[in-house]
């Protein structure tokens, strides 16, 4: 699996999260100053220097729950609050939108263009705040430095890693169902039309060559689709035309979105729970969270009255119903890891993590508590 996948996964999911929250803030008529504060606070936390240093270190992907924990913390980095059902729905929309974009990329390298579309939108959210804007520009430079030199094979490995991460997620989204790009079982429908990858030809011709490279014959065939050549390649610079629309905002106030758990996902989740097995990456999961959370400087609102709740459902009743009907296996608890620069706290966390992995003299109670936390982390 590719060790360069995590930053792209985080940035693209983060971009989708901001699109959705922006749409909901507008739909619920949240005052402009509060809505802007929410977006600014989340983006400031996303692009925190210390946090990004940990994120950009070469490392393998960890479990969905580890990443979900980070986004739970990130979504509550401001005065906005989401209850469990709305947070579940937010994460479902984020992941399914990015999964669809990865599937539609004409070539693996275009995943970087999708990431830049998300970055362009994030930059537009904070265009009037120079300090945050500089953080976003620095991330642009890191992305360009890390990813533009990669080969086509390395981008293919990144794409495969992302698809493996998303392969068991089949949440039905109303927008996708309405546009007939998603089936009722939650699986996406890939088109047999549109532009072919840049640098390739429209399929319709078979050429046969001799061992010396001389063309011997040509044969036309019906490609079964409506393909056309790519006009130009998208720009991989900080400023430029990305060409692709993948990664741009597909939400609007007039186009609400709903999510529905497919039967496949329910049975898959239950199957996972029954066939539980210890995960050897548990220690690495905790270490990853400790490092990432250490970089998340979440500021608590000084005045509790200034906070407000955002509902991703049409009504509070729908939200409550979704919370009750949600399968237990898919309800993620937030693991509260203190996100400060306090070295003593970090040292204490490291000590606790060490105790989880020790196989020496442990009391049954201590062992079970450690097992419970690891189970929560890894979906055992």
């Amino acid at each position: 699996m590719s060790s360069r996948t995590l930053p792209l996964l985080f940035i693209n999911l983060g971009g989708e999260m901001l699109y959705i929250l922006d749409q909901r803030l507008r739909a619920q008529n949240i005052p402009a100053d509060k809505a802007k504060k929410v977006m600014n606070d989340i983006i400031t936390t996303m692009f925190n220097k210390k946090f990004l240093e940990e994120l950009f270190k070469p490392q393998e992907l960890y479990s969905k729950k580890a990443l979900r924990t980070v986004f739970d913390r990130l979504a509550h980095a401001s005065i906005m609050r989401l209850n469990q059902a709305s947070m579940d729905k937010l994460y479902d929309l984020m992941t399914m939108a990015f999964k669809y974009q990865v599937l539609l990329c004409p070539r693996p390298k275009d995943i970087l263009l999708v990431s830049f579309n998300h970055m362009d939108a994030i930059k537009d959210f904070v265009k009037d705040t120079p300090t945050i804007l500089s953080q976003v520009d620095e991330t642009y430079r890191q992305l360009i430095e890390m990813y533009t030199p990669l080969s086509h094979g390395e981008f293919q490995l990144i794409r495969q890693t992302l698809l493996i991460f998303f392969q068991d997620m089949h949440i039905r989204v109303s927008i996708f169902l309405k546009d007939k790009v998603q089936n009722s079982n939650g699986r996406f429908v890939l088109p047999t039309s549109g532009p072919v990858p840049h640098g390739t030809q429209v399929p319709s011709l078979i050429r046969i060559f001799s061992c010396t490279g001389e063309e011997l014959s040509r044969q036309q065939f019906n490609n079964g689709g409506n393909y056309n050549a790519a006009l130009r390649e998208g720009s991989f610079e900080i400023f430029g035309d990305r060409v692709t629309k993948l990664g741009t905002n597909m939400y609007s106030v007039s186009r609400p979105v709903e999510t529905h758990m497919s039967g496949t996902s329910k049975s898959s989740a239950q199957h996972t729970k029954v066939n539980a097995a210890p995960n050897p990456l548990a220690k690495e999961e905790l270490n990853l969270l400790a490092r990432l959370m250490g970089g998340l400087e979440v500021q608590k609102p000084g005045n509790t009255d200034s906070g407000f709740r955002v509902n991703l459902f049409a009504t509070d009743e729908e939200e409550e119903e979704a919370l009750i009907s949600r399968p237990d296996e898919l309800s993620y608890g937030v693991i509260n890891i203190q996100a400060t620069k306090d070295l003593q706290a970090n040292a204490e966390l490291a000590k606790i993590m060490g105790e989880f992995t020790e196989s020496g003299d442990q009391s049954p109670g201590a062992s079970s508590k450690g097992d419970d936390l690891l189970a929560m982390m890894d979906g055992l």
Side-chain angles (χ1 to χ4, degrees):
M1 296 177 70
S2 175
S3 62
R4 299 288 185 181
T5 308
L6 187 58
L8 294 182
L9 179 61
F10 175 80
I11 285 171
N12 285 285
L13 288 180
E16 288 299 320
M17 180 178 72
L18 291 169
Y19 287 153
I20 299 164
L21 290 178
D22 179 61
Q23 183 255 345
R24 292 309 301 166
L25 291 169
R26 293 173 186 272
Q28 292 184 209
N29 296 317
I30 301 299
D33 58 334
K34 286 190 174 183
K36 184 174 182 179
K37 176 174 173 53
V38 168
M39 302 300 280
N40 284 355
D41 287 349
I42 292 177
I43 294 171
T44 299
T45 307
M46 275 184 67
F47 295 96
N48 173 276
K49 183 178 180 181
K50 183 179 178 183
F51 177 70
L52 288 176
E53 284 176 357
E54 294 297 338
L55 194 71
F56 274 85
K57 289 179 180 178
Q59 56 196 299
E60 302 296 338
L61 281 186
Y62 290 89
S63 74
K64 296 179 180 67
K65 283 200 173 181
L67 194 67
R68 166 64 191 266
T69 302
V70 174
F71 277 103
D72 275 345
R73 190 67 182 242
L74 191 60
H76 294 92
S78 187
I79 57 177
M80 177 193 69
R81 292 294 173 262
L82 299 167
N83 78 7
Q84 188 68 61
S86 284
M87 187 65 220
D88 283 343
K89 180 176 179 179
L90 173 62
Y91 193 71
D92 286 345
L93 290 171
M94 291 159 50
T95 51
M96 293 307 290
F98 184 45
K99 177 181 180 178
Y100 183 54
Q101 292 158 14
V102 174
L103 286 170
L104 284 189
C105 279
R107 54 179 185 166
K109 189 176 182 180
D110 289 337
I111 292 172
L112 189 54
L113 293 176
V114 176
S115 305
F116 283 154
N117 269 337
H118 281 119
M119 290 291 294
D120 292 342
I122 292 169
K123 189 172 182 177
D124 190 57
F125 281 132
V126 295
K127 60 185 178 183
D128 298 325
T129 314
T131 53
I132 310 177
L133 199 58
S134 64
Q135 292 176 253
V136 178
D137 284 338
E138 175 58 30
T139 306
Y140 267 115
R141 286 188 283 272
Q142 288 180 270
L143 287 171
I144 291 171
E145 180 181 344
M146 175 180 287
Y147 291 101
T148 52
L150 297 185
S151 66
H152 294 296
E154 288 171 307
F155 274 109
Q156 174 64 8
L157 190 55
I158 288 173
R159 182 176 185 272
Q160 288 176 337
T161 304
L162 288 170
L163 291 178
I164 290 171
F165 182 83
F166 291 126
Q167 67 180 348
D168 295 325
M169 304 179 73
H170 306 295
I171 311 299
R172 293 175 292 163
V173 179
S174 61
I175 287 179
F176 296 142
L177 292 169
K178 189 177 297 183
D179 291 344
K180 300 187 185 302
V181 298
Q182 191 180 30
N183 291 325
S184 58
N185 62 3
R187 298 182 184 275
F188 288 110
V189 180
L190 299 183
T192 55
S193 61
V196 298
H198 182 268
T200 63
Q201 298 177 345
V202 175
S204 62
L205 179 67
I206 299 174
R207 294 188 294 173
I208 299 177
F209 296 87
S210 68
C211 57
T212 60
E214 179 184 0
E215 185 176 327
L216 300 178
S217 64
R218 292 188 173 198
Q219 181 179 349
Q220 296 284 338
F221 70 93
N222 183 5
N223 58 32
N226 184 22
Y227 298 101
N228 54 278
L231 297 177
R232 61 189 183 282
E233 184 176 28
S235 171
F236 291 94
E237 301 297 327
I238 292 182
F239 302 100
D241 182 7
R242 312 303 177 196
V243 178
T244 181
K245 297 300 181 184
L246 298 176
T248 57
N249 195 348
M250 67 177 181
Y251 305 100
S252 67
V253 176
S254 60
R255 201 181 189 198
V257 289
E258 298 296 333
T259 57
H260 310 276
M261 183 64 60
S262 70
T264 304
S265 295
K266 290 180 181 178
S267 61
S268 175
Q270 292 166 356
H271 181 76
T272 302
K273 186 175 182 180
V274 171
N275 292 281
N279 190 333
L281 293 179
K283 180 182 177 183
E284 286 76 3
E285 294 273 338
L286 286 171
N287 280 317
L288 170 72
L289 278 178
R291 292 196 304 272
L292 292 183
M293 292 302 189
L296 283 176
E297 296 179 347
V298 180
Q299 298 184 4
K300 297 180 181 179
N303 182 6
T304 55
D305 294 334
S306 63
F308 61 90
R309 185 173 67 87
V310 169
N311 181 0
L312 268 73
F313 294 82
T315 64
D316 289 344
E317 289 74 16
E318 284 187 22
E319 187 180 45
E320 292 174 5
E321 183 180 346
L323 184 60
I324 295 171
S325 61
R326 186 96 174 156
D328 292 338
E329 305 86 36
L330 300 176
S331 293
Y332 298 88
V334 179
I335 298 174
N336 186 19
I337 297 179
Q338 186 65 29
T340 67
K341 295 182 179 179
D342 189 339
L343 296 178
Q344 182 178 358
N346 289 338
E348 181 66 20
L349 181 58
K351 178 182 177 183
I352 293 172
M353 289 189 294
E355 292 174 354
F356 288 156
T357 58
E358 288 176 0
S359 57
D361 299 329
Q362 286 186 319
S363 65
S367 176
S368 64
K369 288 180 181 178
D371 291 342
D372 288 344
L373 179 56
L374 297 182
M376 194 189 316
M377 291 285 297
D378 298 293
L380 299 180

